[in-house]
Amino acid sequence: MAHQKLIPAVICASLLLIACSGAQTIIPSTPVAFIATKIAQLPFAIPETSCGTTFVRHELPHTTTGDSAGTYVYASNGSGLAVGDLNGDGFEDIIFGNIAGTATLYLNNGQMHFTPITTDVKDIRALAIVDTDGDGKPEVVATQRFRRPLIGDFKNGELIFHEMPDVYSPFYSMNWHDLNGDGKLDVVFGTYDTEQLQHQGLIFNERGGGGVFIYYRDGAGYRPERLNSHADALAIAFPDINHDGISDILIGNDFNRRDMAWLASPTGWQSVEPFSQTTENTMSLDVADVFNSGTNTIFATDMKPYNQDVKTMADWLPAMKKLSRPLTADDPQYPENTFQVWQDGQWQDQAYNLQIDASGWSWSGKFGDLDNDGWQDLYIVNGMVAKDLLGYLPKNQIDEPDMLFVNNAGKKFTRADWGLSDSGSGRAMTMVDLNNDGRLDVVVNPMDGHAAIYENQRCAGNSIEIRLIQPDKSNHTAIGATVRLTAGGLHMMRDVREASGYLSGESSTIHFGIGSATSVNMVTITWPDGSISHIDNIPGNTLTTITRTE
Amino acid sequence: MNSTFIEIIIEYFNQLFKIKRMQLTSPQGKIYPMRLLTIYDLRQEWILVIIGVIVGGLFGFLALSYKYPAWVQAACVIAGLLPAFSRHVIDIYTKHGWWSATLTTLIAAQSFHGVEHLVQWVQYHILRWPFFLASGIISAANAEWVHFGWNWIVLTIMVILVFGGLRNPFAWLMIAWTIAHTAEHTYLMWRYVQALQELAALGVPDVSAQGLPGFFGRDGWLATSELTRDTFICRFPGFTTAVRLDVHFWWNVGETILLILAANVTLRHKNQIEQP
């Protein structure tokens, strides 16, 4: 009997050892707690005149430009954008980054009217509008080329930037999530070593190089954990890779560098290679329940021409020969989009089978229900401009249309136009309802072209938008929460995220198209701490704010 | 052991098609037994084979030392073996006539071509070279011209052999197979030339356009055409999903097998007809 009494002590001692070993402990799922909520609803403001078949393009004055001497490789990767309600007026504002020029904030006055506010920051890569300090007001976070990340506070109609505390390295991509379950938002940063090496030479390595870092929120500052020391990270996502109910970390790398993944485990982050085939130059990552199966898929973009005609191939070949290099036999990378689907207990790439493997020189690729039929469509922005890489082409650019693939009830994707096939050189892109009419609009920050808003004026189905609030939590907008609901016989799922695609911030308001259904049932919210709320029968065509009351 | 295994397979087909073992006639009217394996039987020329391997290997090694491309090294080895093979073909001609000598040359060359495809396969799938580098050995000189030229030669020789008596179901299938294969290489050559012209127009003369997808296979015309989009054809396993290297590897495997089967059937029939 005596040894049985020792068992709890041994377990406690083991846990203490793990805690003291320095490894980041991931909090395991706690017993499910059911949380009460209160609901506020606002009917959509649907303009009577805006019922057509296409999106309508609105051009903004903001233009992202590269180096002053022209746009060269690296600078030509462009700059990000982010959306969020900075001034608390109920409309999503937009900030566009820039490289040679300065970033511009557009305050949304509703009805597609915006007030521009110029900033003094340039050389921006990723952007986020996120409540980093848990004060209930979002801030703008920006990564910069060769400089420390910035945080911008919106006060008195101005955006005032200061350096992010405790973060001293320059980073390229970022994404926010509560990674240690302490209720506060942490951030994962990734470096872009190839550009850094060209800029700094060997000094870059001598100073410790780059890699993938988690910065855990710690008091008023951050505490870093380095996951590895090399990266060309263009995209970061938090899919549940091993289906254990906990978000993991996925890094999409450029320049033939393998993508990286870490699983959350009680002993820390465990490096894995979960995919048998991946993209070779991962430009963006998006995670979505495309089949309404309750399971997320993972989509990554790469560079592969949609048309394989002679003219297109001739345009591509010289550049591809510069960028391609022999890999090793066990290397899973292929230069085409991948669409990872969880089947038979493993991830399988279905991009080629579903004909979404080739979309051009692709950057941000994201899912969203653009026609409110209950199925998430895929939109990808494309194009490349670079004087050194594409100097043999007119205007130094591969000019390709952006690609819309409509999801046909989860069975196949069909290419459509809908006024979204603009050519140019798209980079960051996000989908957000800018005029609270229940339809997702599209915002693009291209390279060497005007930023654009594509107003969704399609006569489409009904929808519901859900905004989650945790008033007493640091993670105020419940980033990391999952919402499941049933409408019109479809079971849908969305995650609240800070970013997805390529350098693109996401709205924390999630959108569900519900087709001809007029209400949604069996709404289940899994809050970031694992607790659950159930709500039944919410009327459609409303912006529904669900506030956690406990 | 391999010979025995191959003979068992051939014998199986002989029984399947009720074929008897026969002989062929030399230009002088003398009758010698001609079996399929005679084509590969270089034992009589073993001294020349050894000398060829040594000399060809030496020149190949020199080419390697002086950093000549792989196709030059391979060409040295092949050139070393040519005298032995030439004597072998002359011997077959002397004993069995022009038709058999032509058939021997075609089968031997087609088998070597198969090795070329195997090397490409290894380069792409095992070594993971980019598609435009995985050109094989000889084809590294120019994969498009080598395969285009080779397939037209095969088709031409097949037609000649048909006129000479290579007429059986395998031969007709082989002709159809070769015509389709040659048509695809002609399409590939057309794309290649067009792409070179486009590149020249862009002022990029030093980039080759080898290895573009063809009619069949992954990213080929059938897989990407708007005519087949959203139909089962554009993702039909193998036909529109295999990469070009795999498609042409199997084109070649099919061609070689059909050629050997057709030759085996005809050799036996021909001998029966010519038997005194």
Side-chain angles (χ1 to χ4, degrees):
Chain A
M1 289 298 284
H3 69 279
Q4 286 181 351
K5 286 179 183 173
L6 279 175
I7 291 172
V10 169
I11 291 171
C12 287
S14 304
L15 288 172
L16 197 65
L17 269 175
I18 289 165
C20 295
S21 67
Q24 185 62 43
T25 306
I26 311 301
I27 293 198
S29 302
T30 50
V32 174
F34 291 93
I35 301 294
T37 55
K38 65 177 181 185
I39 299 174
Q41 289 175 304
L42 194 67
F44 288 142
I46 301 172
E48 286 179 10
T49 53
S50 67
C51 185
T53 55
T54 62
F55 286 66
V56 175
R57 178 185 163 98
H58 302 279
E59 214 165 75
L60 297 171
H62 175 90
T63 302
T64 297
T65 52
D67 310 287
S68 52
T71 301
Y72 287 84
V73 167
Y74 306 125
S76 69
N77 284 16
S79 189
L81 66 84
V83 290
D85 186 4
L86 272 178
N87 55 359
D89 64 353
F91 291 105
E92 304 270 359
D93 308 307
I94 314 167
I95 182 163
F96 295 97
N98 209 331
I99 299 297
T102 54
T104 313
L105 169 67
Y106 284 90
L107 290 178
N108 185 351
N109 305 319
Q111 299 178 332
M112 293 294 161
H113 294 296
F114 298 88
T115 304
I117 293 176
T118 51
T119 71
D120 58 356
V121 292
K122 49 174 69 175
D123 268 331
I124 301 295
R125 288 302 194 188
L127 280 165
I129 295 180
V130 60
D131 182 6
T132 59
D133 52 11
D135 65 353
K137 294 176 190 168
E139 295 87 41
V140 174
V141 187
T143 62
Q144 287 185 286
R145 296 171 85 198
F146 323 125
R147 285 193 288 273
R148 295 170 58 181
L150 301 172
I151 291 188
D153 296 311
F154 186 71
K155 285 178 186 168
N156 306 321
E158 271 188 286
L159 199 52
I160 299 155
F161 283 94
H162 56 88
E163 286 178 334
M164 191 170 170
D166 300 330
V167 183
Y168 300 101
S169 304
F171 292 106
Y172 192 101
S173 50
M174 68 173 158
N175 205 343
W176 293 75
H177 200 87
D178 179 9
L179 289 160
N180 55 359
D182 65 353
K184 297 170 190 164
L185 282 179
D186 312 307
V187 58
V188 175
F189 284 121
T191 57
Y192 197 47
D193 291 7
T194 307
E195 182 187 28
Q196 293 275 77
L197 271 167
Q198 201 211 32
H199 181 70
Q200 295 180 316
L202 292 175
I203 296 170
F204 173 65
N205 285 330
E206 285 165 8
R207 287 180 179 169
V212 178
F213 293 74
I214 305 174
Y215 280 82
Y216 296 103
R217 185 79 194 185
D218 190 3
Y222 292 90
R223 175 172 44 84
E225 179 185 354
R226 190 180 200 168
L227 295 180
N228 83 333
S229 54
H230 299 285
D232 278 303
L234 294 188
I236 299 170
F238 303 113
D240 180 5
I241 291 170
N242 57 349
H243 288 77
D244 63 352
I246 302 172
S247 296
D248 307 305
I249 299 172
L250 179 62
I251 306 292
N253 282 314
D254 197 4
F255 295 126
N256 326 87
R257 192 188 290 278
R258 290 188 196 198
D259 290 352
M260 303 157 183
W262 286 271
L263 300 181
S265 80
T267 54
W269 295 99
Q270 181 191 345
S271 177
V272 288
E273 286 201 359
F275 309 119
S276 58
Q277 179 168 332
T278 71
T279 39
E280 191 172 325
N281 312 282
T282 309
M283 316 294 266
S284 84
L285 291 168
D286 194 26
V287 180
D289 178 15
V290 171
F291 302 115
N292 288 335
S293 61
T295 307
N296 275 329
T297 58
I298 304 168
F299 181 73
T301 56
D302 200 322
M303 302 173 292
K304 180 179 178 182
Y306 177 80
N307 290 316
Q308 302 257 341
D309 60 277
V310 167
K311 173 78 176 73
T312 305
M313 297 309 289
D315 286 353
W316 276 67
L317 275 171
M320 294 316 289
K321 290 204 171 183
K322 278 186 190 171
L323 296 173
S324 300
R325 65 187 75 160
L327 304 170
T328 55
D330 64 336
D331 201 310
Q333 301 182 97
Y334 290 86
E336 60 185 35
N337 300 340
T338 56
F339 180 53
Q340 307 289 353
V341 179
W342 184 255
Q343 286 177 323
D344 305 324
Q346 59 183 341
W347 292 102
Q348 293 179 24
D349 176 29
Q350 294 293 339
Y352 187 78
N353 289 339
L354 289 165
Q355 299 182 68
I356 50 174
D357 58 304
S359 49
W361 199 300
S362 298
W363 297 85
S364 208
K366 294 169 78 151
F367 290 101
D369 187 354
L370 295 173
D371 55 355
N372 286 348
D373 66 346
W375 299 92
Q376 296 195 76
D377 312 300
L378 173 62
Y379 185 55
I380 306 168
V381 294
N382 306 301
M384 182 60 178
V385 53
K387 212 168 186 176
D388 41 354
L389 185 65
L390 302 171
Y392 55 92
L393 290 174
K395 298 180 184 171
N396 312 316
Q397 70 173 346
I398 286 177
D399 202 359
E400 297 171 313
D402 299 330
M403 296 266 170
L404 170 64
F405 296 95
V406 177
N407 183 346
N408 292 283
K411 293 184 177 70
K412 63 179 182 179
F413 287 94
T414 308
R415 199 176 157 205
D417 180 36
W418 294 1
L420 289 170
S421 302
D422 274 352
S423 54
S425 212
R427 295 291 183 275
M429 177 273 294
T430 199
M431 298 172 184
V432 57
D433 181 3
L434 290 169
N435 52 356
N436 292 349
D437 66 352
R439 294 175 288 193
L440 283 177
D441 309 300
V442 176
V443 187
V444 181
N445 187 8
M447 191 70 211
D448 289 345
H450 284 289
I453 292 168
Y454 297 87
E455 182 188 358
N456 190 342
Q457 292 196 357
R458 282 185 62 80
C459 300
N462 299 321
S463 66
I464 186 168
E465 288 172 0
I466 294 176
R467 191 176 287 169
L468 300 180
I469 302 290
Q470 302 189 109
D472 301 325
K473 303 274 183 183
S474 177
N475 181 4
H476 193 71
T477 53
I479 288 171
T482 302
V483 178
R484 293 176 175 83
L485 56 79
T486 301
L490 297 176
H491 305 286
M492 292 176 255
M493 181 177 82
R494 303 279 190 278
D495 300 323
V496 183
R497 295 173 295 186
E498 180 281 306
S500 69
Y502 171 71
L503 303 182
S504 304
E506 283 228 336
S507 169
S508 56
T509 302
I510 49 177
H511 168 273
F512 292 87
I514 56 174
S516 57
T518 53
S519 64
V520 297
N521 296 304
M522 297 164 63
V523 180
T524 303
I525 301 156
T526 306
W527 297 93
D529 62 0
S531 54
I532 285 175
S533 298
H534 288 298
I535 304 156
D536 215 6
N537 198 22
I538 303 177
N541 292 328
T542 56
L543 170 56
T544 301
T545 303
I546 301 174
T547 306
R548 181 176 173 148
T549 57
E550 171 185 340
Chain B
M1 184 165 172
N2 283 340
S3 301
T4 313
F5 178 68
I6 293 168
E7 280 181 9
I8 289 168
I9 292 172
I10 291 170
E11 197 56 44
Y12 169 76
F13 280 100
N14 290 340
Q15 287 174 12
L16 193 68
F17 291 94
K18 298 183 170 41
I19 301 160
K20 292 174 186 171
R21 193 176 292 276
M22 283 165 284
Q23 295 171 312
L24 288 177
T25 314
S26 73
Q28 290 78 33
K30 197 173 176 183
I31 295 166
Y32 291 91
M34 171 76 180
R35 299 166 61 200
L36 188 64
L37 290 179
T38 308
I39 289 167
Y40 293 104
D41 190 357
L42 283 163
R43 279 177 296 185
Q44 275 191 324
E45 314 298 340
W46 68 272
I47 295 173
L48 270 179
V49 169
I50 290 171
I51 293 170
V53 166
I54 292 169
V55 174
L58 189 67
F59 276 94
F61 181 73
L62 283 172
L64 174 72
S65 305
Y66 284 95
K67 295 184 178 173
Y68 280 93
W71 70 268
V72 176
Q73 300 161 32
C76 290
V77 177
I78 293 165
L81 288 170
L82 267 182
F85 183 71
S86 303
R87 272 184 59 107
H88 177 58
V89 171
I90 290 166
D91 185 52
I92 287 181
Y93 170 75
T94 309
K95 290 176 179 171
H96 306 294
W98 69 270
W99 187 89
S100 301
T102 308
L103 183 69
T104 299
T105 308
L106 180 62
I107 290 179
Q110 181 66 22
S111 302
F112 176 76
H113 193 68
V115 174
E116 178 81 355
H117 277 279
L118 195 63
V119 171
Q120 283 187 336
W121 193 91
V122 169
Q123 287 171 337
Y124 185 78
H125 288 293
I126 306 297
L127 302 176
R128 292 295 313 278
W129 292 7
F131 70 93
F132 49 82
L133 289 179
S135 310
I137 309 170
I138 294 297
S139 307
N142 188 311
E144 300 300 345
W145 277 109
V146 165
H147 290 271
F148 171 77
W150 172 246
N151 278 283
W152 272 103
I153 289 169
V154 170
L155 182 59
T156 307
I157 294 175
M158 274 303 292
V159 171
I160 291 167
L161 288 173
V162 165
F163 277 107
L166 187 68
R167 293 171 195 171
N168 59 60
F170 293 118
W172 300 129
L173 202 56
M174 165 69 178
I175 284 281
W177 189 275
T178 310
I179 287 171
H181 190 183
T182 307
E184 178 160 36
H185 272 292
T186 306
Y187 172 65
L188 284 166
M189 176 52 76
W190 175 77
R191 271 169 65 86
Y192 171 66
V193 171
Q194 294 274 316
L196 284 185
Q197 287 173 356
E198 290 285 347
L199 285 165
L202 292 170
V204 188
D206 56 337
V207 170
S208 179
Q210 297 172 47
L212 297 180
F215 185 79
F216 293 105
R218 195 178 180 93
D219 303 323
W221 184 89
L222 211 52
T224 57
S225 169
E226 290 300 327
L227 295 174
T228 61
R229 192 168 177 87
D230 298 331
T231 68
F232 76 97
I233 298 169
C234 70
R235 292 299 181 266
F236 195 78
F239 286 94
T240 47
T241 60
V243 293
R244 172 180 161 166
L245 276 166
D246 290 344
V247 169
H248 286 268
F249 176 81
W250 290 110
W251 268 128
N252 200 65
V253 167
E255 213 161 82
T256 308
I257 289 172
L258 287 172
L259 179 60
I260 288 172
L261 291 173
N264 179 52
V265 171
T266 296
L267 280 173
R268 287 160 188 272
H269 274 297
K270 209 170 171 61
N271 200 7
Q272 190 177 41
I273 294 160
E274 291 167 359
Q275 203 165 17

